[in-house]
């Protein structure tokens, strides 16, 4: 039973030790191992038996004492709420229930039953049970409870993160039935010009059990064609023939990726499911075929009824990854990311919760889903900072994947061409098993990397004459070039060359970015937008010009320079429409000469066989940043984008424009030995006492004035006085004002992670008891990815 730290009415605050005590009781009471999860029926039966036993064992004289359940609500409160369990209801931890909360009905999750009723408090009863089975199984509950403790976030919000949006709102957990189609034995003929309809008939005839509408649409057909054929009596809809994953085509089941000798050696180094929990770090240079190793591993070790999780850092990587996995696993592949609608998310969530043998490819939040038979976890591009949630529940998807593998007693594979320094440090400490893959797949060779000093050189849209010449020669050979500009828009600044005025965001301490295509000035921090003008808004001079370059400007320069060659821009603005990234990728993968212009979206995992030249417009951004992670992130980005060159049979070349060609970090980069660079960066981290050699957390404050933000952090600082804890600040953030909120931060650096965690827990409890000044908000970020 949880120990109460604070009691206010029927609210109960939780301590880490109390929650762990409760989890241990639940674990000891279970008759099954985490790696062999109980069925919903057995969980429900055992819960009902316990509830009945509690009721039967009550003293007859105490018959009026009701059973109490402790409920978590989706509220930013570090408290649980007690409710009476009516006689006709049987509750089990993890179940969704409806409860009265103030004047409203709220959806809650049962955390505990049979608790002691608070003295002198009149409790309200649970209104209804949403389902008879727990939405969150045992292992998922333990994962989220641990995450709540570690990241110092309210348990209720953590638990609800594992539910799709509809279930958070209290909707029923019922998915829309899949629509399947099959051909009919009908001799009706089609017009000679009905080519698409004929192709659809032929396609369906190859699927003797029928096919779901989603697969038909993916194959390039439309609902108009389906309806037309149905009206002609040539096809019909049918009910779903059992679980979709049970009707896999034999040719798909027979497919196995063929590994090179180097890939086979690396695959043999990975932890296998038979060994139980183990974390493997797969270091493979760009183009070495890490995905082929993932596919081979799953084909070799994943059982027909097992589940697997593949994490990818970006939504835009999902289609490409899904296509490769579907080739070997067919309809067993499902996806999870924020671009799915509520119905699609619920369908996938139910497949995972019901234990269907899915292989789920998803972004960060997929690690929180309620798997019941998880046997393998793979984290691709494990170094990517997007695995860390930036607001609210600030968890690391990669780190939770490792802990989840530990709970499930299954292997986890972390793959990257540029592993994070934390992962490399763990491998050096023998916490992770290191597998190396240091040669490219097939006949491909690593690209030749050169530094191009642009000091005193004239630039066109940020590009020097040698870079333009290299692009021209690449296109003349019928090949493709990639130009990396890590800033979207046309120009980061509009400046008056008469009075020096630059347009700033009225809500942030930053300048507006000029987007020429939309004739707009936009803030990339708060989304403020205003119309662009041709004259200076201050002195009305016509000498109001864009300064610097973004993807739009580089695209315009290249379109003018190479009018007969397609210039394809890939950034957040050009890929907003659904399906746009797939269209762009298919266009590039056709192999026809073109120039790609893009941001970091192009640096991650894409395979363009005919790209032989990469030009980095400016590599100096991270060399002199105050963020201790900046050098690591700079090298990772440059190596990742360089790795897009020469992935086919043609040699690749990389030109990195810089004003600091003598910088040691950039000179080492040209040798392409990332592990050597990482070793040097780890030494610098150790000397500076930064993570991974220290544990770090940041208290952040926001208010309508900087004075209030600093006052909040000043009141927190005395609470951090403890042996082994070093504090820096409080100081204003790098961008001190964002969206009309003034931001400051207090950094904590500790020798011992457990000691820091216990200290943070106590501080959060203390702050929750204090009356917060109006308009002031504080939050905590454990293991921050940004310190600015």
């Amino acid at each position: 039973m949880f120990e109460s730290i604070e009691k206010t009415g029927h609210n109960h605050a939780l301590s880490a030790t109390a929650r762990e005590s409760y989890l241990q009781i639940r674990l000891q009471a279970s008759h099954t191992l985490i790696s062999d999860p109980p069925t919903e029926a057995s969980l429900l039966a055992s819960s009902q038996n316990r509830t009945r036993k509690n009721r039967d064992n009550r003293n007859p004289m105490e018959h009026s004492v009701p059973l109490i359940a402790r409920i978590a609500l989706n509220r930013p409160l570090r408290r649980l709420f007690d409710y009476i369990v009516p006689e006709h209801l049987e509750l089990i931890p993890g179940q969704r229930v409806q409860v009265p909360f103030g004047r409203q009905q709220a959806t809650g999750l049962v955390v505990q039953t049979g608790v002691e009723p608070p003295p002198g408090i009149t409790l309200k009863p649970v209104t209804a049970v949403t389902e008879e089975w727990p939405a969150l199984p045992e292992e998922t509950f333990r994962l989220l409870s641990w995450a709540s403790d570690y990241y110092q976030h309210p348990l209720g919000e953590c638990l609800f993160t594992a539910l799709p949006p509809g279930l958070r709102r209290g909707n029923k957990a019922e998915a829309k039935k899949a629509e399947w189609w099959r051909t009919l034995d009908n001799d009706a003929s089609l017009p000679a010009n009905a080519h698409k309809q004929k192709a659809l008939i032929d396609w369906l005839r190859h699927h003797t059990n029928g096919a779901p509408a989603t697969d038909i649409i993916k194959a390039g057909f439309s609902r108009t064609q389906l309806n037309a054929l149905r009206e002609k009596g040539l096809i019909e809809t049918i009910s779903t023939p059992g679980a979709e994953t049970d009707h896999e085509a034999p040719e798909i089941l027979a497919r196995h990726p063929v590994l090179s000798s180097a890939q086979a050696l690396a695959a043999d180094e990975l932890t296998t499911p038979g060994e139980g929990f183990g974390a493997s770090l797969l270091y493979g240079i760009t183009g070495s075929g890490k995905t082929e190793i993932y596919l081979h591993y799953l084909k070799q070790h994943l059982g027909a009824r097992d589940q697997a999780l593949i994490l990818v850092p970006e939504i835009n990587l999902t289609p490409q990854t899904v296509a490769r996995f579907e080739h070997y696993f067919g309809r067993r592949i499902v996806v999870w990311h924020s671009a799915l609608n509520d119905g699609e998310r619920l369908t996938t969530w139910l497949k995972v919760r019901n234990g269907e043998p899915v292989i789920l490819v998803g972004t960060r939040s997929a690690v929180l889903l309620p798997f019941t038979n998880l046997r393998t976890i793979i984290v691709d591009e494990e170094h990517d900072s997007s695995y860390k949630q930036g607001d609210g529940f600030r968890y690391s998807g990669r780190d939770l994947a490792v802990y989840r593998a530990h709970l499930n007693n299954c292997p986890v594979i972390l793959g990257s061409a540029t592993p994070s320094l934390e992962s490399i440090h763990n491998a050096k400490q023998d916490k992770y098993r290191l597998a190396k893959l240091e040669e490219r797949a097939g006949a491909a060779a690593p690209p030749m990397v050169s530094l191009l000093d642009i000091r005193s050189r004239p630039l066109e849209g940020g590009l020097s004459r040698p870079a333009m010449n290299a692009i021209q020669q690449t296109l003349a050979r019928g090949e493709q070039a990639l130009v990396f500009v890590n800033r979207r828009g046309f120009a980061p600044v509009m400046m008056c060359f008469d009075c020096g005025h630059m347009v700033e965001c009225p809500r942030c301490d930053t300048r507006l970015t000029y987007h020429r295509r939309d004739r707009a000035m936009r803030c990339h921090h708060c989304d403020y937008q205003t119309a662009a003008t041709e004259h200076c808004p201050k002195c009305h001079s016509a000498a109001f010009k864009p300064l610097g370059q973004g993807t739009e400007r580089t695209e315009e320069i290249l379109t003018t320079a190479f009018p007969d060659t397609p210039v394809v821009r890939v950034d957040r603005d050009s890929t907003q429409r659904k399906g746009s990234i797939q269209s762009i990728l298919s266009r590039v993968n056709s192999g026809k000469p073109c120039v790609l212009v893009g941001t970091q979206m192009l640096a991650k995992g894409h395979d363009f066989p005919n790209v032989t030249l990469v030009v980095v417009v400016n590599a100096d951004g991270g060399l002199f940043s105050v963020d201790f992670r900046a050098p690591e992130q700079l090298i990772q980005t440059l190596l990742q984008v360089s790795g897009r060159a020469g992935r086919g049979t043609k040699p690749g070349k990389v030109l990195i424009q810089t004003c600091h060609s003598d910088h040691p970090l950039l000179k080492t980069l040209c040798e392409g030995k990332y592990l050597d660079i990482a070793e040097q960066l780890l030494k610098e981290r150790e000397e500076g006492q930064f993570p991974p050699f220290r544990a770090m957390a940041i208290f952040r404050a926001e208010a309508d004035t900087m004075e209030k933000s600093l006052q909040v952090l000043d009141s927190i600082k005395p609470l951090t006085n403890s042996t082994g804890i070093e504090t820096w600040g409080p100081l204003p953030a790098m961008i001190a004002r964002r969206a009309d909120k003034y931001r400051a931060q207090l950094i904590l650096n500790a020798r011992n992670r457990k000691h820091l965690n216990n200290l943070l827990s106590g501080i959060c409890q203390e702050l929750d008891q204090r009356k917060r000044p109006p308009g002031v908000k504080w939050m905590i970020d454990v293991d921050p990815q940004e310190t600015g």
Side-chain angles (χ1 to χ4, degrees):
M1 184 182 297
F2 288 112
E3 300 168 4
S4 291
I5 302 300
E6 172 196 0
K7 293 184 179 179
T8 307
H10 60 283
N11 306 332
H12 289 259
L14 308 178
S15 71
T17 53
R19 191 181 294 114
E20 185 61 31
S21 172
Y22 163 62
L23 292 174
Q24 289 297 327
I25 292 172
R26 287 191 67 198
L27 186 58
Q28 292 165 7
S30 176
H31 296 289
T32 54
L33 297 174
I34 297 171
S35 58
D36 185 18
T39 64
E40 293 166 3
S42 66
L43 277 172
L44 181 58
S46 61
S47 171
Q48 292 171 340
N49 289 337
R50 285 196 302 272
T51 306
R52 291 190 185 101
K53 181 181 286 188
N54 288 337
R55 283 182 170 140
D56 293 343
N57 287 343
R58 283 183 295 181
N59 189 314
M61 298 300 294
E62 299 175 348
H63 218 48
S64 59
V65 179
L67 284 176
I68 307 300
R70 195 150 287 168
I71 309 296
L73 299 179
N74 191 17
R75 300 289 190 275
L77 302 170
R78 298 173 199 274
R79 296 170 182 151
L80 299 179
F81 299 86
D82 290 348
Y83 289 88
I84 297 171
V85 181
E87 289 283 341
H88 66 281
L89 293 183
E90 307 286 355
L91 300 187
I92 181 174
Q95 262 183 308
R96 288 195 308 148
V97 293
Q98 296 298 312
V99 296
F101 189 72
R103 296 181 179 180
Q104 301 175 336
Q105 285 289 315
T107 299
L109 284 164
V110 179
V111 173
Q112 187 182 4
T113 58
V115 301
E116 291 292 332
I121 300 295
T122 302
L123 300 179
K124 295 180 180 180
V126 173
T127 305
V129 170
T130 311
E131 297 94 20
E132 295 297 324
W133 44 271
L136 298 184
E138 173 81 18
E139 181 270 339
T140 307
F141 194 96
R142 295 189 68 211
L143 171 77
L144 292 165
S145 296
W146 179 87
S148 173
D149 286 339
Y150 184 79
Y151 294 106
Q152 305 299 328
H153 197 76
L155 178 61
E157 288 194 327
C158 294
L159 295 177
F160 273 82
T161 307
L163 301 180
L167 298 194
R168 296 177 203 171
R169 295 191 295 266
N171 297 347
K172 291 184 178 181
E174 296 176 355
K176 185 179 179 181
K177 289 186 177 180
E179 181 186 25
W180 281 59
W181 295 78
R182 70 178 177 189
T183 56
L184 291 171
D185 293 331
N186 193 322
D187 296 331
S189 60
L190 290 169
N193 61 350
H195 303 296
K196 270 289 189 179
Q197 292 182 20
K198 289 179 179 179
L200 176 51
I201 287 286
D202 291 338
W203 189 89
L204 281 172
R205 281 175 179 158
H206 285 87
H207 296 75
T208 55
N209 293 315
T214 51
D215 285 10
I216 297 171
I217 301 301
K218 282 182 183 178
F221 303 104
S222 68
R223 289 196 171 273
T224 302
Q225 293 155 5
L226 286 169
N227 293 331
L229 290 174
R230 178 171 57 182
E231 290 175 4
K232 294 171 183 176
L234 295 174
I235 64 175
E236 67 174 355
T237 56
I238 57 174
S239 58
T240 306
E244 294 179 23
T245 50
D246 290 340
H247 293 265
E248 206 51 78
E251 61 268 24
I252 291 180
L253 296 175
R255 290 171 184 163
H256 288 269
V258 178
L259 301 185
S260 67
S261 57
Q263 290 171 334
L265 287 173
D268 289 341
E269 292 294 320
L270 303 175
T271 306
T272 62
E275 299 176 74
F277 168 69
S280 300
L281 177 61
L282 176 58
Y283 163 66
I285 64 172
T286 54
S288 59
K290 293 183 290 296
T291 302
E292 299 303 311
I293 292 181
Y294 302 153
L295 293 166
H296 170 81
Y297 185 93
L298 294 174
K299 278 286 185 179
Q300 290 290 110
H301 300 294
L302 194 68
R305 306 308 307 168
D306 294 341
Q307 296 175 323
L309 170 62
I310 317 296
L311 288 179
V312 294
E314 293 276 358
I315 291 175
N316 292 313
L317 284 181
T318 309
Q320 183 171 317
T321 306
V322 167
R324 298 186 69 179
F325 276 81
E326 281 182 339
H327 179 74
Y328 291 98
F329 296 98
R331 283 192 292 270
R332 199 172 172 181
I333 303 300
V334 296
V335 298
W336 180 271
H337 52 70
S338 60
L340 300 178
N341 61 43
D342 286 2
E344 291 170 328
R345 289 204 222 184
L346 178 58
T347 298
T348 298
W349 187 90
L350 285 171
K351 287 182 178 182
V352 170
R353 178 62 189 91
N354 291 337
E356 292 188 29
V358 297
I359 299 173
L360 188 141
V361 180
T363 49
R364 176 180 58 228
S365 62
V367 75
L368 306 175
L369 296 180
F371 292 91
T372 58
N373 202 22
L374 189 58
R375 290 294 178 268
T376 300
I377 302 177
I378 296 172
V379 184
D380 193 28
E381 307 293 354
E382 66 85 30
H383 67 279
D384 200 286
S385 60
S386 63
Y387 280 123
K388 182 71 189 297
Q389 173 72 23
D391 54 13
F393 177 21
R394 291 174 168 80
Y395 66 93
S396 165
R398 178 198 62 199
D399 295 348
L400 283 187
V402 174
Y403 187 74
R404 181 151 210 175
H406 168 69
L407 290 178
N408 282 269
N409 196 33
C410 74
V412 56
I413 300 170
L414 310 176
S416 177
T418 53
S420 65
L421 296 188
E422 286 83 359
S423 293
I424 292 176
H425 179 67
N426 282 333
K428 290 167 64 71
Q429 299 292 315
D430 293 326
K431 295 178 181 178
Y432 295 172
R433 185 182 297 181
L434 180 62
K436 297 181 182 180
L437 184 56
E438 299 183 284
E439 64 178 56
R440 281 193 158 184
M448 182 181 69
V449 182
S450 303
L451 299 179
L452 181 56
D453 199 315
I454 56 174
R455 285 175 288 191
S456 302
R457 290 185 185 271
L459 302 176
E460 299 177 64
L463 292 167
S464 63
R465 178 46 51 186
M468 295 291 280
N469 291 339
I471 294 172
Q472 185 177 28
Q473 294 165 9
T474 300
L475 297 175
R477 294 193 299 268
E479 298 164 1
Q480 298 170 333
L482 188 157
V483 179
F484 178 69
V485 187
N486 203 19
R487 189 185 295 272
R488 60 191 175 98
F490 188 87
V493 177
M494 284 292 288
M495 177 176 172
C496 178
F497 283 79
D498 282 343
C499 71
H501 176 71
M502 289 181 282
V503 183
E504 297 185 348
C505 176
R507 305 178 65 212
C508 304
D509 288 341
T510 186
R511 299 183 179 96
L512 296 180
T513 299
Y514 176 44
H515 290 253
R516 172 175 284 186
R517 180 159 298 185
D518 300 331
R519 300 294 301 166
M521 302 290 292
R522 292 192 187 125
C523 177
H524 290 176
H525 299 282
C526 74
D527 294 328
Y528 172 83
Q529 178 172 312
T530 188
T533 62
E534 296 182 357
H535 295 81
C536 174
K538 185 176 182 180
C539 71
H540 307 292
S541 167
F544 191 50
K545 306 294 181 183
L547 190 64
Q549 56 278 328
T551 51
E552 286 184 13
R553 187 172 202 167
T554 304
E555 177 192 24
E556 182 178 277
I557 293 294
L558 290 169
T559 300
T560 303
F562 308 106
D564 299 327
T565 302
V567 178
V568 183
R569 178 165 56 92
V570 183
D571 57 21
R572 191 186 304 173
D573 299 325
S574 67
T575 58
Q576 286 181 344
R577 291 184 180 178
K578 192 170 185 178
S580 57
I581 187 66
Q582 292 95 318
S583 175
I584 290 172
L585 294 178
S586 62
R587 185 177 179 184
V588 177
N589 285 325
S590 69
K592 295 178 181 179
C594 68
V595 181
L596 278 163
V597 179
T599 58
Q600 286 195 46
M601 290 175 64
L602 284 176
K604 302 173 183 179
H606 296 295
D607 189 7
F608 305 130
N610 204 31
V611 170
T612 58
L613 174 69
V614 168
V615 177
V616 178
V617 170
N618 190 336
D620 300 337
L623 290 176
F624 307 105
S625 171
V626 296
D627 192 331
F628 72 92
R629 296 188 189 275
E632 174 193 9
Q633 293 169 347
L634 171 67
I635 292 299
Q636 287 170 340
T637 299
L638 292 178
L639 280 176
Q640 288 284 345
V641 74
S642 298
R644 302 314 108 196
R647 296 173 75 95
T649 57
K650 302 171 184 176
K653 180 180 179 181
V654 180
L655 295 178
I656 300 177
Q657 295 189 154
T658 175
C659 292
H660 301 278
S661 57
D662 54 348
H663 195 285
L665 200 59
L666 294 180
K667 292 171 72 173
T668 309
L669 170 69
C670 293
E671 301 174 8
K673 297 180 179 178
Y674 177 75
L675 293 182
D676 291 343
I677 300 174
E679 186 68 32
Q680 178 59 40
L681 292 176
L682 277 171
K683 289 180 181 178
E684 294 175 6
R685 293 271 189 97
E686 187 173 18
E687 291 172 0
Q689 298 300 293
F690 288 113
F693 300 95
R694 289 292 187 272
M696 181 176 284
I698 299 180
F699 278 99
R700 306 185 194 272
E702 293 181 356
D704 50 11
T705 66
M706 181 58 71
E707 182 182 12
K708 289 181 180 179
S709 292
L710 292 173
Q711 283 177 350
V712 169
L713 297 178
D714 279 330
S715 70
I716 294 175
K717 190 169 184 177
L719 303 177
T720 67
N721 291 333
S722 182
T723 305
I725 302 291
E726 185 179 358
T727 57
W728 304 333
L731 294 169
M734 284 287 292
I735 300 178
R737 182 172 60 105
R738 179 182 289 180
D740 282 330
K741 294 295 182 182
Y742 290 84
R743 304 156 61 243
Q745 59 189 31
L746 177 67
I747 301 176
L748 278 64
N749 212 19
R751 298 194 192 101
N752 184 279
R753 188 175 300 275
K754 185 176 181 181
H755 176 50
L756 176 63
N757 185 263
N758 291 335
L759 178 69
L760 294 176
S761 180
I763 293 175
C764 289
Q765 291 165 18
E766 170 69 22
L767 294 177
D768 280 344
Q769 294 177 13
R770 294 181 180 178
K771 185 177 180 180
R772 187 183 306 174
V776 176
K777 180 181 178 182
W778 66 268
M779 64 286 296
I780 187 167
D781 190 358
V782 178
D783 298 336
Q785 287 296 301
E786 297 179 357
T787 56

